[in-house]
Amino acid sequence: MPRRGGPIQKRSLPHVTKVLAVASGKGGVGKSTVAVNLAFSLAMNAEHAPRQRPRVGILDLDIFGPSIPKLMALENVEEPQLTDAGAIVPIVNHGLPCMSMGFLLPKAPGTDSSADTAVVWRGLMVQKAVQQLLFDVDWRDPDGGAGLDVLVIDMPPGTGDVPLTLGQLVNVDGAVIVSTPQDVALTDVRKGVSMFQKISVPIVGLLLNESYFICPSCTTPHELFGPPAAFRATAARFGVDVLGELPLVPGVSRGGDRGVPYALHSANGADGTTDLGGKEWRQTMAGVAGQVWQFLSK
Amino acid sequence: MSSVKRKILVLSGKGGVGKSTFTAQLGWAFAADENVQTGIMDVDICGPSIPTILGIASEQVHASSSGWSPVYVQDNLGVMSVGFMLPSAKDAIMWRGPKKNGLISQFLKDVDWGDLDYLVVDTPPGTSDEHLSIVQYLKESGIDGAVVITTPQEVALQDVRREIDFCNKVGIRVLGLVENMSGFVCPNCKTESQIFKPSTGGGRRLAQDMGVEFLGAVPLDPRIGKSADYGVSFLDEYPESPASIAYLDIIDKIKQQLGDV
């Protein structure tokens, strides 16, 4: 379809002050897990935030593999409602509103969940879905109508249609790029950084996930996916900050599957066990939240 | 494509579960028999990992009168990846669907593979353009089956169920499911830890529920990642690792499923 007029203008998202993308060139490094836990950390660590109780929302832009419903224990919900103006109302759990393609998919016959329905679409339909998720959601608080201080966007892997569409249409205030230690991941992460630079999105910094695992029995740390040296060198080469290095804590994956993000677990662990590295994980995540608020307030 | 006897796709709904790593081991295992000609095709245009994993990241492809020549890791193991066509490893390829489909079609038609016994195709995560294009282009000459890779946790299994749904929708036979990163044995004290808890029964249960064969579980061995980063064959370097034994069992089962044993 031929475009009329000049180049597409980037715009802000309605009722959203700042937009933070959580991305990685690579799949499976923990973008969604980090996005959800970071969103909660941002809400809980308000020292550098614009207000004492900042309003944070989560938008899942992974059209093909939307994980947010699972991570937020929102799998078997009813279809989202629409406002009088026809905008989609986000679904709230643990106090945070979120929106995902997962809420809009048809349910498989005989089940309550759309979790297993494959989305098999070509690029143009993906673009349309992304535009709807970006511009047709009403993030205002039902009591009082306040908008969001920050919307955390969980990006899909890769450097294709979705980041392109986002970069062309929306003012993104910052990107946090997640990686694991391996070269194979870093190769794709470098592309992710290069992509954000091409679409003029400022990079808050790089976050290392799954950096080491502490054996619960003998407390030896194991760098299961390699040492952090290559990751730190990549950050240095691009001149971006290392926001933190998160250890592998089984409670994080457990929390994800249960839909109760690890950032919300108390120090004693949700089921009475204390994962080694758990405290450090939470502290690192809180540190990342602080750095993000400082970056966004500049 | 008629000179290729068996075409196998390696799929996962989820990113980062080890598709490319598994594809490489599968390629090496097939090619361990000198008389078997194997090809590996990497269709992950945004994140082509195969050249790094096979130690040929700095190679370039050459065109001859009979088409693009694959890069040969061994005499009987040829590789084609979009990674070879990139000017530099740090450039992001930001293409929309139609342009990606054009490249995939070139890979499938214009690569001079010669006669192959096996072609293993490494895919990007998801159920999008690349997958639809591959299936469309390969369907004429027949896809023998897909191996689906997962990790144990539910967040991964969800995406994998969608992938199996995709296979059913487009008529690809699922040869079986592999559960990767399934447990870690501490080399010090030998305690086994479940890092990615199979809170809903893991790959085994999913395979049962969806009526597909469970090919096996591969434990986490830090040397797998290291071998991939150095571009060497994990199976060759560390044959005594429980992960190598698991890989080889799985590969035997795949051959059985294909009727090649």
Side-chain angles (χ1 to χ4, degrees):
Chain A
M1 199 161 62
R3 217 188 299 147
R4 277 169 289 169
I8 305 172
Q9 290 284 61
K10 284 201 209 191
R11 19 178 192 143
S12 308
L13 299 182
H15 312 294
V16 172
T17 308
K18 298 283 185 184
V19 175
L20 179 79
V22 176
S24 177
K26 186 99 183 76
V29 297
K31 281 176 295 310
S32 302
T33 304
V34 166
V36 169
N37 280 284
L38 180 57
F40 283 102
S41 288
L42 286 167
M44 298 187 304
N45 291 285
E47 196 192 313
H48 301 281
R51 78 189 81 255
Q52 220 185 4
R53 311 258 318 264
R55 284 205 76 228
V56 183
I58 303 171
L59 177 61
D60 180 5
L61 275 196
D62 191 342
I63 308 290
F64 299 106
S67 308
I68 294 293
K70 172 99 231 157
L71 296 174
M72 292 283 288
L74 286 173
E75 280 190 293
N76 296 325
V77 293
E78 293 294 314
E79 241 182 68
Q81 314 228 303
L82 295 181
T83 64
D84 294 334
I88 309 173
V89 177
I91 304 192
V92 179
N93 199 6
H94 311 303
L96 233 71
C98 65
M99 184 43 57
S100 164
M101 192 70 211
F103 299 137
L104 305 174
L105 291 174
K107 314 237 187 260
T111 71
D112 273 338
S113 166
S114 65
D116 303 344
T117 314
V119 170
V120 189
W121 292 351
R122 287 208 182 270
L124 195 57
M125 284 189 73
V126 173
Q127 244 187 303
K128 289 208 169 304
V130 168
Q131 281 183 289
Q132 259 208 300
L133 289 173
L134 285 170
F135 297 112
D136 294 346
V137 177
D138 190 334
W139 293 101
R140 281 176 293 188
D141 188 359
D143 304 312
L148 296 179
D149 293 295
V150 64
L151 177 64
V152 177
I153 300 188
D154 177 21
M155 300 286 285
T159 53
D161 280 294
V162 173
L164 268 174
T165 302
L166 181 72
Q168 282 177 331
L169 298 181
V170 178
N171 285 320
V172 180
D173 300 283
V176 170
I177 301 186
V178 183
S179 181
T180 50
Q182 286 172 277
D183 279 353
V184 167
L186 290 171
T187 309
D188 290 351
V189 161
R190 282 182 218 119
K191 294 185 215 285
V193 173
S194 140
M195 169 185 81
F196 280 116
Q197 288 172 340
K198 270 190 201 174
I199 57 179
S200 311
V201 171
I203 296 174
V204 184
L206 258 48
L207 179 60
L208 183 63
N209 202 12
E210 302 182 353
S211 61
Y212 59 88
F213 171 69
I214 303 180
C215 171
S217 189
C218 63
T219 68
T220 320
H222 298 283
E223 289 174 337
L224 293 180
F225 301 108
F231 167 82
R232 292 177 190 158
T234 302
R237 185 151 11 109
F238 278 107
V240 294
D241 287 338
V242 171
L243 298 174
E245 297 181 5
L246 294 166
L248 257 168
V249 175
V252 175
S253 150
R254 250 195 332 256
D257 280 2
R258 283 180 49 225
V260 181
Y262 196 65
L264 294 179
H265 292 188
S266 76
N268 290 329
D271 47 24
T273 60
T274 320
D275 280 324
L276 291 177
K279 186 164 141 198
E280 175 172 350
W281 194 96
R282 271 184 284 261
Q283 279 173 346
T284 305
M285 193 52 95
V288 175
Q291 292 174 81
V292 167
W293 279 129
Q294 286 183 304
F295 187 91
L296 291 177
S297 64
K298 271 189 253 162
Chain B
M1 275 275 138
S2 54
S3 55
V4 179
K5 288 212 194 98
R6 297 270 187 230
K7 294 172 218 66
I8 302 170
L9 298 186
V10 178
L11 300 172
S12 180
K14 189 98 185 78
V17 297
K19 282 177 293 311
S20 301
T21 309
F22 183 82
T23 301
Q25 308 312 325
L26 189 57
W28 265 308
F30 282 144
D33 180 345
E34 296 180 334
N35 298 319
V36 171
Q37 294 292 330
T38 307
I40 293 180
M41 188 159 73
D42 179 8
V43 198
D44 191 346
I45 291 180
C46 298
S49 307
I50 289 286
T52 305
I53 296 177
L54 293 174
I56 42 179
S58 48
E59 298 285 331
Q60 293 202 314
V61 281
H62 309 280
S64 70
S65 54
S66 41
W68 292 104
S69 302
V71 175
Y72 285 92
V73 179
Q74 272 170 205
D75 283 339
N76 62 340
L77 181 57
V79 182
M80 179 50 87
S81 165
V82 71
F84 296 137
M85 300 177 138
L86 298 178
S88 100
K90 58 179 179 61
D91 276 3
I93 301 235
M94 301 174 69
W95 292 352
R96 290 199 184 276
K99 200 162 171 186
K100 287 196 240 185
N101 295 340
L103 183 62
I104 290 173
S105 129
Q106 260 196 297
F107 268 9
L108 290 167
K109 301 197 178 126
D110 299 346
V111 175
D112 178 23
W113 291 105
D115 288 325
L116 286 179
D117 295 289
Y118 295 102
L119 177 66
V120 187
V121 183
D122 182 24
T123 60
T127 50
S128 160
D129 277 294
E130 290 97 317
H131 301 87
L132 285 171
S133 300
I134 289 270
V135 171
Q136 273 172 351
Y137 292 127
L138 285 181
K139 249 191 146 177
E140 292 142 23
S141 38
I143 296 176
D144 294 87
V147 176
V148 183
I149 315 275
T150 186
T151 45
Q153 73 272 51
E154 175 60 22
V155 167
L157 298 180
Q158 264 196 337
D159 286 351
V160 167
R161 284 192 203 98
R162 290 187 191 111
E163 195 69 21
I164 296 178
D165 189 34
F166 166 81
C167 291
N168 295 336
K169 276 183 175 152
V170 298
I172 299 178
R173 179 185 168 205
V174 177
L175 296 171
L177 182 71
V178 172
E179 181 182 278
N180 210 5
M181 303 195 203
S182 179
F184 168 67
V185 176
C186 172
N188 252 24
C189 68
K190 309 300 178 201
T191 315
E192 180 166 348
S193 307
Q194 299 270 18
I195 301 184
F196 302 112
K197 281 216 174 318
S199 52
T200 52
R204 209 175 285 269
R205 170 80 184 277
L206 181 128
Q208 215 177 21
D209 288 345
M210 298 204 79
V212 304
E213 182 81 13
F214 183 67
L215 296 171
V218 183
L220 251 171
D221 185 327
R223 297 169 299 184
I224 299 176
K226 202 158 51 153
S227 305
D229 282 356
Y230 284 116
V232 297
S233 161
F234 172 74
L235 297 175
D236 284 341
E237 296 287 312
Y238 305 105
E240 77 295 340
S241 160
S244 286
I245 298 171
Y247 272 133
L248 291 172
D249 273 343
I250 289 168
I251 288 164
D252 276 339
K253 289 215 180 91
I254 292 175
K255 286 189 187 165
Q256 275 174 16
Q257 291 282 81
L258 290 170
D260 286 346
V261 173

